[in-house]
Amino acid sequence: MNKIVSVLVWLSLLVVASVLKAEVPVEIKHAVASKERAQSDKSRDQHRKPAEILALAGLKPGMKVVDLLSGGGYYTDIISRVVGDKGQVIAHNAPYVVNRFANFFNDQEKGWPAKFRSPQWKKNVVKSIEELDTINLPVQLDVALMVLFYHDTVWQGVNRDMMNRRIFNALKPGGAYVIVDHSAKAGSGIKDVKKLHRIDKQFVIDEITKVGFKLEADSNLLSHPEDTRDYIFTRDRQTRRDQTDRMVLKFVKPAE
């Protein structure tokens, strides 16, 4: 009996650690392939795998999504095309980011303001500039996405317990919270969050599950075993951009 239980536990872990090779919905395929997307964004698709990431998140037309720390809107733009006229995307950025990259966020012709005037974003994208630990999110969101920023919340002093609880409360039961980030060496905790801009995967899992989320998938979609995890991602920005070893974690808010 003990052997049977052990096998079942092992199999369940395999499911959690799998790539989740589910078929990418046609709506996501079309959004990623759109000729209206900026070429500078499309050139990064090969290594960022946005179609697979959003399929993992369970993105569908009509959903309400928050793109946390959306930066220039790489994911916001794709999500907007998927959720359509009946959906909504909150393009969020923290005041620190907006001030740090003021040239882009104030550029009326080529920056963030111009994106909100584009025909696509005018359909369903709304702006949010708020601190993560006091962010006001509408309830009944379907998906919350944070790409390559969780490590920054540590050295920037964000109260992550409050942040994660606010995200938990905003999601509807069954809603997904997806984290993508640069992986640090296992067991390193938060040692490398500022110097190397990396974070230990288990540390992230522990923090997010502590507030009530359940880990549904620990995917190797963006795995790079050859990455030694001892350098900052900007070192090879030109030659190996988007090719650090990255965790892809999907958490879900349990059904009530």
Side-chain angles (χ1 to χ4, degrees):
M1 178 63 70
N2 287 339
K3 288 184 177 180
I4 294 175
V5 172
S6 297
V7 170
L8 290 174
V9 170
W10 179 76
L11 289 173
S12 66
L13 289 174
L14 279 181
V15 172
V16 172
S18 69
V19 183
L20 261 73
K21 295 181 179 179
E23 180 68 22
V24 176
V26 65
E27 294 88 358
I28 296 179
K29 289 182 179 178
H30 287 167
V32 172
S34 173
K35 295 180 179 179
E36 296 177 355
R37 292 181 60 216
Q39 186 56 42
S40 57
D41 285 346
K42 298 184 75 170
S43 66
R44 304 181 69 181
D45 292 348
Q46 177 184 357
H47 298 300
R48 300 194 87 179
K49 300 183 180 180
E52 291 85 348
I53 296 295
L54 294 177
L56 175 67
L59 192 69
K60 297 177 182 178
M63 282 187 165
K64 291 181 173 58
V65 180
V66 60
D67 186 6
L68 297 160
L69 280 304
S70 61
Y74 173 93
Y75 269 103
T76 298
D77 190 75
I78 300 172
I79 295 169
S80 170
R81 299 176 192 281
V82 176
V83 300
D85 294 346
K86 295 184 179 180
Q88 185 181 70
V89 193
I90 302 169
H92 165 267
N93 277 298
Y96 172 88
V97 174
V98 173
N99 294 330
R100 174 69 176 79
F101 302 99
N103 287 342
F104 170 77
F105 285 100
N106 293 327
D107 189 334
Q108 294 294 323
E109 299 302 319
K110 298 180 180 179
W112 216 37
K115 290 180 178 287
F116 282 94
R117 294 197 305 271
S118 69
Q120 180 60 48
W121 285 40
K122 286 173 69 174
K123 293 178 182 179
N124 56 17
V125 181
V126 296
K127 182 188 301 184
S128 169
I129 302 176
E130 297 184 81
E131 300 291 358
L132 281 164
D133 45 17
T134 56
I135 189 170
N136 291 302
L137 293 168
V139 296
Q140 298 297 295
L141 291 175
D142 296 283
V143 176
L145 178 71
M146 185 184 291
V147 178
L148 306 181
F149 203 88
Y150 199 94
H151 69 273
D152 289 314
T153 66
V154 180
W155 66 265
Q156 290 180 11
V158 174
N159 184 325
R160 297 180 307 285
D161 185 74
M162 289 180 59
M163 173 187 79
N164 290 327
R165 291 183 187 280
R166 283 179 175 270
I167 294 167
F168 182 90
N169 291 335
L171 287 168
K172 63 176 59 173
Y177 183 17
V178 177
I179 301 289
V180 178
D181 213 337
H182 306 284
S183 298
K185 291 182 178 180
S188 63
I190 58 175
K191 179 175 70 68
D192 297 324
V193 294
K194 189 170 185 180
K195 184 178 180 180
L196 302 183
H197 286 265
R198 295 172 178 266
I199 193 167
D200 178 23
K201 178 170 67 175
Q202 191 59 51
F203 181 89
V204 177
I205 293 172
D206 290 344
E207 281 205 337
I208 294 179
T209 55
K210 182 176 68 174
V211 305
F213 282 104
K214 301 298 182 184
L215 178 65
E216 181 176 281
D218 175 358
S219 170
N220 62 1
L221 271 170
L222 301 180
S223 175
H224 283 276
E226 75 282 2
D227 181 2
T228 55
R229 306 187 190 187
D230 58 359
Y231 65 91
I232 188 170
F233 70 94
T234 54
R235 185 189 74 177
D236 296 329
R237 180 185 291 275
Q238 298 303 320
T239 58
R240 292 181 56 78
R241 189 177 192 184
D242 293 326
Q243 295 182 67
T244 53
D245 187 75
R246 299 180 181 190
M247 66 188 80
V248 179
L249 304 171
K250 179 183 179 180
F251 302 90
V252 296
K253 179 176 180 176
E256 296 176 339

